[in-house]
Amino acid sequence: MGSSFFSWLGIVVQFALIKCSLSIRLLQVTVPSVIQAGETATLQCIFDLEQDRLYSVKWYKDNVEFFRFIPKLDPPIATYVVDGLRVDERSSSDQNVVLPNVGLPSSGHYKCEVSAEAPSFVSVSGGGVIEVVVLPQGKPSITGGQSKYQVGDYVDINCTSAPSKPPAILNWYINGKQAPKKVLKQYKTVVGTNNLESTVLGLSFRVEEHHVLKSSLLLKCASSVGSLTKDFTGSFDLEDLGEKISDINNHEKIEAQVGWPSLSESEVLHIGNSICPSFSLPSL
């Protein structure tokens, strides 16, 4: 009897494996991991019906359904109101969902669920997380400081990033080299309009002889946001800018020429109403 039982069990398992191999399979679910606010997100749910018939394709954001495709219905597509989402129904289908003009509320976990009709009633699902970011719309600003420094003087300045989400990561550079942590002062992020955040990073150190580079001390602040950011550092010809550097009452703006849409920016010391790319130091 035991032998008959295990033979019957083997038949059931074999039947289940055959049935499973002929059922709907989820091949790929694609969602953009990081996307800029205002762009269009395309969600993909690629599946193979095998010998099944499709009953429905549903999309969820944070476990709340916002899209449904049922081929038996006319029209087959139905959408539901979810905060931060708008579906372009004309561009969407059973395997693609198009979300135009995404915003910060569009961030979240997205899941695709594909279901087959009878007799299998098999459902498969998969998904991923979307992070919507707002990039800074300008360069970081530098405040504080003096027009000139001598060896032995103390530098105490701050760099503030333009508002973004998530907040930008700031880095200070002294004569082209990243400043060590011991001379940095990290402040709390500042929350502004639309919950965008600005990062503030201070730089404080005593000017030593090794800081002197061709009678100048060049300080730069660079900002970056997420994996969308490209490295960029402004550069200046100090000889050509010599007269403007020495005149702190000059209202003319001096800045690095950058090609937007570079996704990170750099700026130099801001003194009064002018932007100065270096500190002039007396000859030693």
Side-chain angles (χ1 to χ4, degrees), residues 26 28-32 42-47 56-69 82 85 94-97 99 106-115 123-130:
L26 191 60
Q28 180 178 330
V29 177
T30 304
V31 301
T42 299
L43 317 179
Q44 286 189 319
C45 189
I46 309 301
F47 52 89
S56 68
V57 177
K58 299 178 181 179
W59 276 94
Y60 301 83
K61 176 184 178 288
D62 298 327
N63 295 319
V64 178
E65 184 181 359
F66 68 90
F67 176 89
R68 179 180 297 185
F69 181 94
V82 172
L85 294 184
D94 58 335
Q95 298 198 3
N96 294 278
V97 175
L99 308 176
S106 307
S107 297
H109 184 270
Y110 289 77
K111 182 180 71 173
C112 171
E113 180 183 77
V114 184
S115 301
S123 291
V124 290
S125 64
V129 175
I130 294 179

